[in-house]
Amino acid sequence: MAKSTTSFTCSACGAVHNKWSGRCDACGAWNSITEEAPLSAGPASKSLGGKRGRAIQLADLATEEAPPPRTQSGMAELDRVLGGGLVPASAILVGGDPGIGKSTLLLQAAASFAKAGLKAVYISGEEASAQVRMRAQRLGLEKAPVQLAAETNLRDILTTLETVRPDVAIIDSIQTMWADNVESAPGSVSQVRAAAHELTAFAKRRGMAVVLVGHVTKEGQIAGPRVIEHMVDTVLYFEGERGHQFRILRAVKNRFGPADEIGVFEMTGGGLAEVTNPSALFLSERDQPAPGSVVFAGIEGTRPVLVEFQALVSPSPLGQPRRTVVGWDSGRLAMVLAVLEARCGIPFTGLDVYLNVAGGLKISEPAADLAVASALLSAREDIALPADTVVFGEISLSGALRPVGQTETRLKEAEKLGFSQAIAPSGGKSAATTGVSVRQMPDLATVVGEIFGAG
Ligand code: TYD
Ligand code: MG
């Protein structure tokens, strides 16, 4: 007799057991173990009632198909983050903290797509239709041909979408949706997953684009957007600092375009305004050159963006000095501090270090290393860099500076904004095409000695 290949899997934690039991040993859940028969053809498929799957038609990689037609909303910041416009039959997740402006952004987007000729439906599970209408009025969009509903019942929503046949549907938010075939409360992991799965499958089948709004949650009762990131084609996060009016829409995954692209908006009394020149905005709060302030010539997605790093270094009363970072990776800060100490003889022991990216932008480029190191040195030595200087370059553990990509784009942006000097790694492509004079530095110790006269 052939050995049985049936397995027993816990539906709660996914652990596989070789026999059924009432309680999963791995996670302790009760009644969660179910029998699973293998799907493959062969003797084992007897356990599936001898049914065989249908053979699938395989195809070549080469295709004659045209790239998907895209619709532009006319909001350039949004279109770029989407990879050039909205793709039909796609699912987009827009995540962000509560209150950051997701509903505002998507109502504006719905209106723009409607004006661009798409049939747009906006379904709110959080606000009454009257509230959404009031917001539309505030945004001056009450005339836009967007169809509105306040509903949370997924079955009713799908039936409605089936008859209305919109080109784009916005579901605000996925955590309020309720699928009646799933036995748990709205907002739970299984409800959020089921609702997202139904909506994305529907979108693919009907050629509709669906936008799911997901609240980022710290922890607790509501499932965050993370649990459905893998199901959708595009994941966008809407970020911003409280107290700042800047909002950044960042593509972290995009099957139809580049990831890491950002769109910059400003929250105003009349909704979100596009910021076409983010460098000017991020630097607008900068006044006189101050110790600890350094302008970094960065690249976000396909666009150069100049931002200001601010550092503060002060004697610490604590046994373990503080390392506080906003907008930059704290592990990376620790590395830069270690290199400054070990390779350049600049210790930060007994000193509190605060590092901040002005304007609420989050920077993840290694090219910012040198700007961070310069800000730290500038703060520690109390020496301000000249106001017309930008800095970029990656620092290696040896203290050497590595050239970074797109030097010319960075310098052009700097020139456009009135900067005339740059501190950058040597060995990079010489950018003689711009009017910015570049001081090329081989390693961090040279920067310490030549720029800050320390070490
Ligand atoms: P909202 O879009 O409701 O956030 P989310 O859907 O992410 O929870 O936006 C909430 C905030 O935006 C609210 O505090 C008020 C502010 N806001 C403006 O400043 N201007 C506006 O025109 C609108 C509509 C909202
Ligand atoms: Mg909302």
Side-chain angles (χ1 to χ4, degrees), residues 96-105 108 122 126-127 135 138-139 172 213 215 238 242 247 267-272:
D97 289 330
I100 202 75
K102 300 180 295 300
S103 303
T104 308
L105 174 73
Q108 287 181 251
Y122 185 100
E126 306 200 329
E127 293 163 298
R135 173 175 300 155
R138 178 172 174 186
L139 301 172
D172 187 3
V213 174
H215 293 294
F238 204 38
R242 276 191 201 285
R247 298 285 182 273
M267 183 61 99
T268 68
L272 289 157

Side-chain angles (χ1 to χ4, degrees), residues 54-304:
R54 142 189 92 81
I56 304 161
Q57 191 72 45
L58 300 173
D60 292 335
L61 279 178
T63 168
E64 303 286 294
E65 268 172 56
R70 293 173 183 267
T71 310
Q72 260 129 26
S73 64
M75 292 166 80
E77 295 296 301
L78 174 67
D79 292 337
R80 195 184 46 252
V81 174
L82 287 173
L86 189 71
V87 179
S90 65
I92 298 156
L93 170 69
V94 178
D97 289 330
I100 202 75
K102 300 180 295 300
S103 303
T104 308
L105 174 73
L106 290 171
L107 190 58
Q108 287 181 251
S112 305
F113 282 122
K115 280 182 201 148
L118 296 188
K119 195 170 185 182
V121 168
Y122 185 100
I123 294 170
S124 175
E126 306 200 329
E127 293 163 298
S129 295
Q131 275 175 294
V132 181
R133 268 192 217 103
M134 264 168 57
R135 173 175 300 155
Q137 221 158 35
R138 178 172 174 186
L139 301 172
L141 298 173
E142 67 273 23
K143 299 251 164 58
V146 177
Q147 295 292 300
L148 202 62
E151 185 55 66
T152 56
N153 185 315
L154 191 62
R155 197 179 287 274
D156 294 350
I157 291 171
L158 289 173
T159 308
T160 310
L161 294 178
E162 191 90 39
T163 35
V164 177
R165 296 289 188 106
D167 299 304
V168 52
I170 288 152
I171 309 290
D172 187 3
S173 67
I174 191 69
Q175 282 117 339
T176 53
M177 293 297 126
W178 176 66
D180 56 20
N181 57 339
V182 178
E183 275 181 35
S184 54
S188 65
V189 174
S190 40
Q191 277 286 355
V192 167
R193 277 213 189 113
H197 176 76
E198 289 287 343
L199 284 160
T200 39
F202 180 89
K204 303 275 161 185
R205 216 164 49 235
R206 293 288 174 208
M208 172 188 88
V210 64
V211 182
L212 309 174
V213 174
H215 293 294
V216 170
T217 51
K218 294 286 170 267
E219 55 183 299
Q221 302 302 305
I222 302 181
R226 276 276 140 89
V227 302
I228 53 168
E229 276 186 355
H230 65 282
M231 283 184 210
V232 297
D233 301 303
T234 303
V235 178
L236 310 179
Y237 276 92
F238 204 38
E239 317 164 335
E241 290 287 312
R242 276 191 201 285
H244 276 296
Q245 70 274 39
F246 317 135
R247 298 285 182 273
I248 288 139
L249 186 66
R250 185 186 294 276
V252 295
K253 161 180 170 179
N254 195 350
R255 287 187 186 146
F256 306 115
D260 283 330
E261 193 67 76
I262 64 165
V264 184
F265 297 87
E266 191 176 0
M267 183 61 99
T268 68
L272 289 157
E274 293 179 65
V275 175
T276 39
N277 188 350
S279 302
L281 179 83
F282 289 127
L283 298 179
S284 64
E285 288 177 357
R286 215 165 80 97
D287 23 52
Q288 290 312 301
S293 151
V294 166
V295 177
F296 165 54
I299 302 279
E300 288 291 330
T302 51
R303 217 174 19 169

Side-chain angles (χ1 to χ4, degrees), residues 289-333:
S293 151
V294 166
V295 177
F296 165 54
I299 302 279
E300 288 291 330
T302 51
R303 217 174 19 169
V305 177
L306 302 192
V307 280
E308 181 191 357
F309 273 94
Q310 300 166 339
L312 178 67
V313 174
S314 67
S316 178
L318 306 168
Q320 180 140 17
R322 239 180 242 284
R323 303 285 183 250
T324 306
V325 197
V326 179
W328 166 255
D329 180 44
S330 54
R332 200 92 195 164
L333 172 67

